[in-house]
């Protein structure tokens, strides 16, 4: 039996390939950055879509394991395979693209942060923002979440134990580290620190706009626009807690973690924390 697959452009709309992809570890500020960008008229956004990661990994497996055989026996070249996957995923935005012709897709995903390299290869014209946060801030935020195993109902260890949360943060960012180093000197990736966004929003938004070739970001913001992306995510992920992000948000962990907890967290994660410019001092990835 032979199965044939034909991918068509939905509604005759050709999607721009220069997508914007926002990635990072959970509780780092991925949804915050995405919400700010989603307000821009030149971007098309929606909820986080877990199948994006599944499809991207599927393409990578095919490209690395079967690509040569497909080219040799079926005449299907690697570039054609990649373009087919790219078109299929970007077609999700076709309905919105009909309302905003020329607007670029905005892809945001926590899970995809661990597969940064795959997304960079699958979407070669895309620009990537990797959002980071001081490990102590992430740990404090993880401990405030009531995330549970859907089968057993038991809370995940990294939402109960500071050490487990620190190890989770380290393991996640280490999965992306090699690709961050590889891409940091290109014009495709920028690292956005949550703390900088809280304390210097004008500068950070201006830098992001320049990197993404947008005519500013702040002037497009509105309460409705910022809430849209969070509401869209609510069916898949727990909705973010209500509240303002302010200068104090960057250091809220100081009141939530004991000095002993902070010391233990840094002992486990200080090296990786330093790689993003946090204390203790170290090489800064920008």
């Amino acid at each position: 039996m032979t199965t044939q697959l034909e991918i068509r452009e939905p509604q005759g709309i050709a999607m721009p390939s220069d997508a914007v992809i926002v990635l990072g570890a959970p509780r780092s500020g991925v949804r915050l950055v995405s919400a700010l960008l989603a307000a821009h008229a030149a971007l098309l956004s929606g909820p986080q879509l877990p199948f994006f990661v599944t499809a991207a990994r599927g393409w990578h497996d095919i490209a690395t394991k079967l690509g040569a055989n497909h080219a040799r026996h079926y005449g299907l070249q690697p570039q054609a395979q990649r373009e087919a996957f790219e078109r299929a995923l970007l077609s999700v935005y076709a309905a919105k693209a009909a309302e905003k012709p020329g607007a670029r897709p905005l892809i945001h995903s926590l899970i995809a942060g661990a597969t940064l390299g795959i997304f960079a290869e699958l979407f070669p014209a895309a620009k990537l923002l990797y959002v980071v946060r001081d490990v102590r801030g992430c740990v404090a935020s993880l401990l405030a979440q009531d995330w549970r195993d859907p089968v057993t109902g038991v809370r995940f260890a990294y939402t109960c134990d500071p050490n487990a949360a620190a190890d989770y943060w380290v393991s996640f960012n280490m999965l992306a580290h090699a690709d961050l180093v590889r891409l940091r000197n290109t014009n495709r990736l920028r690292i956005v620190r949550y703390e900088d966004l809280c304390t210097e929003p004008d500068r950070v938004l201006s830098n992001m706009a320049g990197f993404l070739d947008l005519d500013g970001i702040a002037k497009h913001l509105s309460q409705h626009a910022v809430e849209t992306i969070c509401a869209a995510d609510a069916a898949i992920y727990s909705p973010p807690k209500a509240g303002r992000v302010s200068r104090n948000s960057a250091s809220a962990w100081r009141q939530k973690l004991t000095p002993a907890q902070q010391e233990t967290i840094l002992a486990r994660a200080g090296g990786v924390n330093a790689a993003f410019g946090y204390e203790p001092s170290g090489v800064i990835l920008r």
Side-chain angles (χ1 to χ4, degrees), residues 268-279:
R268 305 175 82 94
V272 180
N273 211 39
F276 293 117
Y278 299 109
E279 60 179 84

Side-chain angles (χ1 to χ4, degrees), residues 22 51 113 168 171 174 191 209 258 261 283:
V22 185
F51 80 84
Y168 175 71
S171 63
M174 284 305 296
I191 291 177
T258 68
Q261 287 176 324
V283 178

Side-chain angles (χ1 to χ4, degrees), residues 103-138:
R104 297 155 63 188
L106 170 61
I107 302 169
H108 59 109
S109 174
L110 305 174
I111 305 173
T115 53
L116 169 62
I118 293 177
F119 270 75
E121 292 176 21
L122 180 55
F123 300 97
K127 290 197 171 182
L128 306 106
L129 295 171
Y130 191 85
V131 188
V132 298
R133 185 178 185 180
D134 188 300
V135 62
R136 292 160 292 185
C138 269

Side-chain angles (χ1 to χ4, degrees), residues 205-249:
L205 290 177
S206 177
N207 287 345
M208 281 200 296
F211 171 62
L212 299 174
D213 300 317
L214 299 173
D215 64 334
I217 296 173
K219 67 181 181 181
H220 290 267
L221 297 179
S222 70
Q223 189 65 32
H224 171 73
V226 171
E227 289 174 350
T228 299
I229 195 169
C230 297
D233 265 351
I236 303 175
Y237 298 96
S238 301
K241 295 181 180 179
R244 292 181 176 273
V245 175
S246 67
R247 182 179 298 272
N248 294 331
S249 301

Side-chain angles (χ1 to χ4, degrees), residues 22-265:
V22 185
L23 315 164
R27 311 311 303 167
S28 292
V30 171
R31 283 202 284 184
L32 171 61
V33 172
S34 301
L36 297 173
L37 292 175
H40 201 287
L43 297 176
L44 302 169
S45 185
Q48 296 191 57
L49 300 171
F51 80 84
F52 261 59
V53 177
T54 302
R57 285 175 171 164
W59 163 76
H60 187 257
D61 284 343
I62 292 173
T64 56
K65 298 174 183 177
L66 299 174
N69 285 335
H70 286 171
R72 183 181 304 114
H73 299 295
Y74 305 106
L76 182 57
Q77 299 303 315
Q79 180 69 5
Q81 294 178 30
R82 186 201 61 74
E83 291 175 352
F85 271 86
E86 181 183 45
R87 288 198 307 273
L89 290 177
L90 293 182
S91 69
V92 170
Y93 296 86
K96 286 191 174 185
E99 302 172 2
K100 298 168 66 175
R104 297 155 63 188
L106 170 61
I107 302 169
H108 59 109
S109 174
L110 305 174
I111 305 173
T115 53
L116 169 62
I118 293 177
F119 270 75
E121 292 176 21
L122 180 55
F123 300 97
K127 290 197 171 182
L128 306 106
L129 295 171
Y130 191 85
V131 188
V132 298
R133 185 178 185 180
D134 188 300
V135 62
R136 292 160 292 185
C138 269
V139 167
S141 187
L142 284 168
L143 295 178
Q145 308 308 310
D146 187 26
W147 294 349
R148 299 173 180 271
D149 186 305
V151 176
T152 65
V154 176
R155 284 183 64 180
F156 293 115
Y158 54 76
T159 68
C160 305
D161 176 61
N163 292 340
D167 291 344
Y168 175 71
W169 180 91
V170 168
S171 63
F172 194 101
N173 284 294
M174 284 305 296
L175 286 172
H177 184 262
D179 292 311
L180 288 173
V181 172
R182 177 174 59 86
L183 292 167
R184 66 179 176 178
N185 292 323
T186 71
N187 194 37
R188 294 197 57 205
L189 177 131
R190 289 292 183 276
I191 291 177
V192 179
R193 301 203 314 176
Y194 173 82
E195 292 78 9
D196 295 341
L197 186 57
C198 292
T199 57
E200 302 177 85
D202 290 339
R203 179 184 68 81
V204 174
L205 290 177
S206 177
N207 287 345
M208 281 200 296
F211 171 62
L212 299 174
D213 300 317
L214 299 173
D215 64 334
I217 296 173
K219 67 181 181 181
H220 290 267
L221 297 179
S222 70
Q223 189 65 32
H224 171 73
V226 171
E227 289 174 350
T228 299
I229 195 169
C230 297
D233 265 351
I236 303 175
Y237 298 96
S238 301
K241 295 181 180 179
R244 292 181 176 273
V245 175
S246 67
R247 182 179 298 272
N248 294 331
S249 301
S251 58
W253 54 265
R254 297 181 185 275
Q255 288 73 49
K256 297 178 181 179
L257 299 174
T258 68
Q261 287 176 324
Q262 294 176 33
E263 184 176 354
T264 300
I265 290 168

